[in-house]
Amino acid sequence: MRASPLLSAARRLRSMHFVPGGSQKFLDKALASNADALIVDLEDSVAAADKLAARLEVSRWMETVDFGTKTCCVRINALDTDLWEADLVATLRAKRPDMYVVPKVSSREDIERIGAVLSRLEKSVGRPEGSVTLMPIATEVPQAPLRAHEIAAAPRVEAITWGAEDLGAELGVKRRKDDDGNWLEIFQLCRSLTLLAAKGAKVQAIDTVYTDLKDLTGCKKESDKAADSGFDGKMTIHPSQIDIANTAFSPTAEELKEANELLAAAERQPGAFQWKGKMIDIPHLRQARRAIDRAVGLDIVEVAPKESPLAWPEGPHHGKWFEELTVGMVIPHALTRTVTETDNTLFTALSMNPAKMHLDYESAKKTQFGKPLVNSMFTVALLVGMSVLETTHGTTIANLGFEEVMFPKPVFIGDTIRAETEVLKVRPSGSNPDRGIVTFEHRAFNQVGDIVCKARRNAMMRRGPASKL
């Protein structure tokens, strides 16, 4: 089977995000992300003692989890173990996965060996032969890089990637990058061989992971460089890297506009021609069509012209725009609230929480507190609500989720709550210049100054109209 080299929405692989096999928490986060593909890992991220349990859980995922439009991949264990075939048997189901990631591939014969097993398994589950594709990691053993072109051209290969960690261990290197963050010569050679092999075989070239999770600037730099070189996507190991990869491997609105203009101009020309001071011929037109192919199914919107800025949002707002929120800013909130028995009883009933500690005075007398506790979910809801007026009222696009919620002290009926918010992080969106992500820490205090709740959350915030002019 030879996969189409066109980057349609069904097989766009800009970001291929690793999920440790068997970890429901990480799977749930990944499913909610913008990753084009998820790589459920049965190899390096799973300890030897947990291999069987992880395999069984991943088998269940393949049967029951809705991956939506994401390409579902499973990384099996290496062919030099006694685990890989059992991985295939356990995880290949009627609909999933779409692709297997194969580590430590050394030759085309390795791919053919896996393909033979897959053909038998596809038939047993009622799938067409060749419906499952492969992405080999082609540089993890020393004998593989110079065979990358043979590996990429093997049956079922849809994409090919490379890796530096295992190869570095095989070679006994002291480091993999220089002081400027650039790959050392041997690893850059492997990267280039992988790219050439992919393009020669007309399959997608996927760049390796960026391992410094805190260095998002370095991740962006490496992703942009890979995209400039011709790679089609990048593997990611932290959610913060996903949007960076998606942006790097997508055309900008300006690039898309220029590609369409170039192809329109080419329709009026019989051969090579000059356009915007450059000589244009077939390779330039091919590159323009590639940019348009990459944009299929993406929401790429041209920036509004300066003379007609968007009047957004309509109506009054009291919150702060993205550019007004700076790290370290502490915002006291004007609204305060005394918690009543009605608040606690109604919220607990609405949320169908039968805990006696909130509703039963007699039971509560026997606790260390001696009286009912206010439902903690009410406390955090009250805290976030009190924060809205001075932070996000009319200026937010979406609440992206909570990183941490803590309740250092209990809240009792009759307590009066005040709140403040601190801005912890701000990050412009890599794909939408009119917005950014802000991390807030909301803090609630009772009447004696004790912190009763801390909630750290991320919000997608709009830029102010003036900043978009």
Side-chain angles (χ1 to χ4, degrees):
M1 174 184 176
R2 172 59 56 211
S4 170
L6 294 179
L7 301 175
S8 64
R11 285 299 199 201
R12 184 176 286 112
L13 303 175
R14 299 169 301 171
S15 51
M16 302 188 72
H17 186 62
F18 276 100
V19 178
S23 174
Q24 188 67 45
K25 177 181 70 172
F26 285 108
L27 176 65
D28 291 342
K29 288 183 178 180
L31 289 171
S33 74
N34 294 322
D36 286 342
L38 302 185
I39 303 175
V40 179
D41 189 25
L42 291 174
E43 195 205 16
D44 288 346
S45 67
V46 180
D50 299 327
K51 294 282 188 183
L52 178 58
R55 182 191 293 151
L56 292 174
E57 181 67 2
V58 171
S59 177
R60 185 184 68 82
W61 289 353
M62 296 302 110
E63 292 272 16
T64 62
V65 172
D66 181 6
F67 285 84
T69 60
K70 299 183 189 302
T71 298
C72 172
C73 312
V74 173
R75 179 165 73 168
I76 60 174
N77 285 281
L79 272 68
D80 61 359
T81 71
D82 59 357
L83 301 171
W84 68 272
E85 188 166 355
D87 291 341
L88 295 178
V89 171
T91 59
L92 183 58
R93 293 294 177 259
K95 294 184 179 180
R96 300 290 187 183
D98 305 301
M99 183 191 304
Y100 283 100
V101 178
V102 187
K104 300 180 180 65
V105 174
S106 62
S107 67
R108 177 189 175 101
E109 287 70 28
D110 288 344
I111 300 299
E112 293 173 342
R113 183 180 173 194
I114 292 176
V117 175
L118 287 175
S119 294
R120 172 172 55 83
L121 294 175
E122 285 168 334
K123 183 177 181 180
S124 70
V125 299
R127 292 180 65 161
E129 184 175 359
S131 61
V132 182
T133 61
L134 299 174
M135 183 173 76
I137 307 177
T139 65
E140 291 187 313
V141 292
Q143 62 268 40
L146 295 180
R147 299 172 181 169
H149 63 292
E150 298 174 356
I151 296 169
R156 293 183 182 266
V157 173
E158 179 176 355
I160 186 171
T161 188
W162 73 288
E165 300 305 312
D166 286 282
L167 179 63
E170 290 277 349
L171 298 177
V173 300
K174 293 183 178 180
R175 59 196 303 199
R176 292 164 177 81
K177 293 182 177 180
D178 62 21
D179 293 337
D180 295 324
N182 299 311
W183 292 106
L184 296 182
E185 184 177 352
I186 184 61
F187 298 106
Q188 184 55 51
L189 173 63
C190 291
R191 193 187 200 198
S192 298
L193 288 172
T194 302
L195 176 61
L196 291 170
K199 299 308 173 179
K202 293 184 171 56
V203 301
Q204 295 197 55
I206 307 300
D207 197 24
T208 193
V209 297
Y210 190 83
T211 57
D212 189 342
L213 303 184
K214 296 182 179 180
D215 183 13
L216 296 184
T217 300
C219 181
K220 181 181 184 303
K221 179 181 177 182
E222 187 169 285
S223 299
D224 289 342
K225 186 175 181 179
D228 289 344
S229 300
F231 279 91
D232 300 296
K234 189 172 184 66
M235 296 186 292
T236 61
I237 54 176
H238 191 275
S240 63
Q241 299 174 339
I242 293 172
D243 287 340
I244 291 174
N246 285 344
T247 300
F249 297 100
S250 300
T252 65
E254 190 62 35
E255 289 169 343
L256 187 58
K257 177 183 177 183
E258 184 162 313
N260 280 307
E261 289 176 353
L262 174 57
L263 293 178
E267 291 179 357
R268 302 187 295 270
Q269 303 293 334
F273 63 98
Q274 283 193 3
W275 186 72
K276 294 186 177 182
K278 299 179 181 178
M279 183 60 67
I280 302 297
D281 53 17
I282 296 298
H284 299 94
L285 302 181
R286 187 182 303 155
Q287 192 167 1
R289 292 190 186 97
R290 174 183 169 85
I292 293 171
D293 286 340
R294 282 183 170 277
V296 173
L298 295 179
D299 183 19
I300 298 178
V301 181
E302 293 186 20
V303 179
K306 292 183 179 180
E307 58 271 21
S308 57
L310 294 176
W312 181 52
E314 296 180 0
H317 74 276
H318 302 282
K320 298 186 185 301
W321 302 110
F322 172 78
E323 64 272 19
E324 295 178 305
L325 295 163
T326 57
V327 173
M329 175 186 289
V330 177
I331 305 166
H333 299 298
L335 296 178
T336 58
R337 174 70 179 274
T338 298
V339 179
T340 68
E341 184 173 9
T342 300
D343 295 331
N344 185 50
T345 302
L346 180 60
F347 188 93
T348 301
L350 287 173
S351 58
M352 302 179 71
N353 184 343
K356 290 184 177 182
M357 69 177 69
H358 303 313
L359 300 172
D360 189 329
Y361 274 70
E362 291 302 312
S363 295
K365 287 179 182 179
K366 301 174 184 177
T367 68
Q368 67 185 88
F369 305 106
K371 54 186 174 180
L373 299 179
V374 172
N375 191 315
S376 59
M377 293 299 98
F378 171 82
T379 302
V380 70
L382 177 62
L383 168 59
V384 174
M386 292 166 68
S387 74
V388 167
L389 188 63
E390 295 90 351
T391 55
T392 61
H393 183 267
T395 57
T396 189
I397 297 171
N399 179 18
L400 301 181
F402 290 84
E403 292 183 2
E404 182 180 67
V405 177
M406 299 177 62
F407 303 97
K409 295 281 187 177
V411 174
F412 301 104
I413 294 165
D415 284 353
T416 297
I417 306 299
R418 64 178 177 86
E420 67 180 25
T421 294
E422 181 176 355
V423 178
L424 300 184
K425 300 177 188 175
V426 294
R427 176 171 66 83
S429 171
S431 56
N432 293 290
D434 61 352
R435 64 194 65 181
I437 296 174
V438 177
T439 301
F440 296 107
E441 184 177 88
H442 306 299
R443 298 186 284 262
F445 303 83
N446 63 17
Q447 64 275 12
V448 297
D450 292 331
I451 295 180
V452 294
C453 182
K454 290 200 298 185
R456 185 174 299 179
R457 72 179 179 113
N458 297 310
M460 182 73 74
M461 302 294 294
R462 295 168 171 156
R463 288 187 181 273
S467 70
K468 295 181 283 185
L469 295 179

